[in-house]
């Protein structure tokens, strides 16, 4: 099972990097191929230009490579922090530029001005794991969960799981290890 991990955090010592390492290790231990895209390390440009928007295609080699990696994967793992109730701008740009029409979904004209959308990622599973300083009942967590659930449905993922580590700044080492174990267990369950 080819696994693709999208990591979006600038600090190598961050908990997000620990999550990414856990997911990578889990895939390798299962004997799966695994690739990690570190958006900060790659210097990814999140800006969707007007020209790219109009032509619905990107000539950016990174966007083309990321799109191919996405389509070749069967498990997509996305790791990011909660910044103001949203993913970092770099990841939002990845969503805008890579999860695009004719890669992640397509519009189907059914005549009489009726248009429906068909998700194209029915072979893939989506696992989102993120860190948040907010609590479980907070609006940030709810808005992020809703955003990722909408993306999973819109793009037609076969299955999805959104996992949030709350109160990360004040969490103990034991709590962090427990969350990493939950992520590893969920990844294994989805792969099984």
């Amino acid at each position: 099972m080819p696994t693709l991990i999208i990591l979006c955090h600038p600090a190598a010592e961050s908990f997000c990097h620990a999550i990414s390492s856990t997911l990578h290790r889990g895939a390798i231990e299962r004997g799966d191929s695994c690739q990690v895209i570190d958006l900060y390390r790659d210097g990814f440009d999140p800006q969707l230009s007007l020209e790219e928007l109009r032509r619905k295609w990107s000539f950016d080699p990174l966007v083309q490579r990321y799109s191919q990696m996405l389509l070749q994967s069967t498990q997509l793992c996305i790791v990011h922090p909660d910044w103001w109730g949203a993913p970092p701008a770099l990841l939002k740009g990845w969503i805008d530029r890579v999860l695009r029409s004719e890669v992640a979904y397509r519009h189907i004209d059914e005549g009489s001005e009726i248009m429906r959308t068909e998700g194209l990622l029915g072979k893939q599973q989506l696992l989102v794991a993120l860190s948040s300083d907010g609590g479980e009942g907070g609006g940030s967590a709810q808005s992020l969960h809703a955003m990722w659930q909408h993306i999973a449905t819109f793009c037609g993922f076969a299955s999805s799981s959104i996992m949030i580590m709350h109160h990360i700044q004040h969490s103990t080492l034991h709590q962090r290890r427990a969350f990493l174990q939950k992520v590893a267990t969920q990844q294994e369950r989805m792969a099984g």
Side-chain angles (χ1 to χ4, degrees), residues 42-49 52 55 57-67 93 97-98 100:
D42 285 358
F44 178 67
D45 179 2
Q47 183 176 343
L48 176 63
S49 69
E52 188 174 318
R55 77 175 160 260
W57 182 252
S58 177
F59 293 112
D60 182 328
L62 268 182
V63 172
Q64 291 179 10
R65 184 168 67 101
Y66 292 167
S67 297
R97 298 185 73 200
V98 177
R100 66 181 188 272

Side-chain angles (χ1 to χ4, degrees), residues 57-127:
W57 182 252
S58 177
F59 293 112
D60 182 328
L62 268 182
V63 172
Q64 291 179 10
R65 184 168 67 101
Y66 292 167
S67 297
Q68 284 306 308
M69 292 168 77
L70 170 67
L71 293 174
Q72 292 168 359
S73 71
T74 52
Q75 189 175 74
L76 174 63
C77 303
I78 298 178
V79 182
H80 71 86
D82 168 2
W83 286 354
W84 293 101
L90 214 53
L91 182 55
K92 179 58 172 76
W94 182 88
I95 294 166
D96 292 344
R97 298 185 73 200
V98 177
L99 294 183
R100 66 181 188 272
S101 178
E102 301 307 319
V103 172
Y105 62 90
R106 86 169 46 106
H107 296 295
I108 299 172
D109 186 353
E110 296 188 337
S112 302
E113 299 179 16
I114 298 173
M115 186 83 70
R116 73 177 175 87
T117 304
E118 175 186 33
L120 299 177
L121 300 179
K123 297 185 310 182
Q124 286 92 338
Q125 301 169 336
L126 174 65
L127 173 59

Side-chain angles (χ1 to χ4, degrees), residues 2-188:
T3 298
L4 177 61
I5 300 170
I6 309 298
L7 170 62
C8 189
H9 197 291
E13 70 279 5
S14 70
F15 189 62
C16 285
H17 276 74
I19 296 169
S20 175
S21 294
T22 298
L23 291 166
H24 183 264
R25 187 170 44 256
I28 297 302
E29 287 174 358
R30 272 193 319 278
D32 297 342
S33 63
C34 184
Q35 295 182 296
V36 178
I37 292 173
D38 183 331
L39 295 174
Y40 278 92
R41 188 184 63 219
D42 285 358
F44 178 67
D45 179 2
Q47 183 176 343
L48 176 63
S49 69
L50 178 59
E51 294 78 21
E52 188 174 318
L53 178 66
R54 285 183 175 157
R55 77 175 160 260
K56 298 180 182 175
W57 182 252
S58 177
F59 293 112
D60 182 328
L62 268 182
V63 172
Q64 291 179 10
R65 184 168 67 101
Y66 292 167
S67 297
Q68 284 306 308
M69 292 168 77
L70 170 67
L71 293 174
Q72 292 168 359
S73 71
T74 52
Q75 189 175 74
L76 174 63
C77 303
I78 298 178
V79 182
H80 71 86
D82 168 2
W83 286 354
W84 293 101
L90 214 53
L91 182 55
K92 179 58 172 76
W94 182 88
I95 294 166
D96 292 344
R97 298 185 73 200
V98 177
L99 294 183
R100 66 181 188 272
S101 178
E102 301 307 319
V103 172
Y105 62 90
R106 86 169 46 106
H107 296 295
I108 299 172
D109 186 353
E110 296 188 337
S112 302
E113 299 179 16
I114 298 173
M115 186 83 70
R116 73 177 175 87
T117 304
E118 175 186 33
L120 299 177
L121 300 179
K123 297 185 310 182
Q124 286 92 338
Q125 301 169 336
L126 174 65
L127 173 59
V128 180
L130 61 106
S131 62
S132 175
D133 285 334
E136 290 183 44
S140 286
Q142 291 172 348
S143 65
L144 276 165
H145 192 277
M147 181 198 85
W148 283 116
Q149 196 56 57
H150 173 70
I151 288 171
T153 302
F154 196 84
C155 296
F157 282 95
S159 63
S160 64
S161 179
I162 298 111
M163 304 179 73
I164 304 172
M165 172 72 188
H166 298 281
H167 303 294
I168 187 68
Q169 194 171 49
H170 302 291
S171 63
T172 64
L173 182 59
H174 175 74
Q175 290 169 320
R176 290 178 186 213
R177 285 182 177 156
F179 183 77
L180 292 176
Q181 183 56 52
K182 281 183 187 177
V183 168
T185 300
Q186 182 62 21
Q187 180 190 34
E188 182 69 29

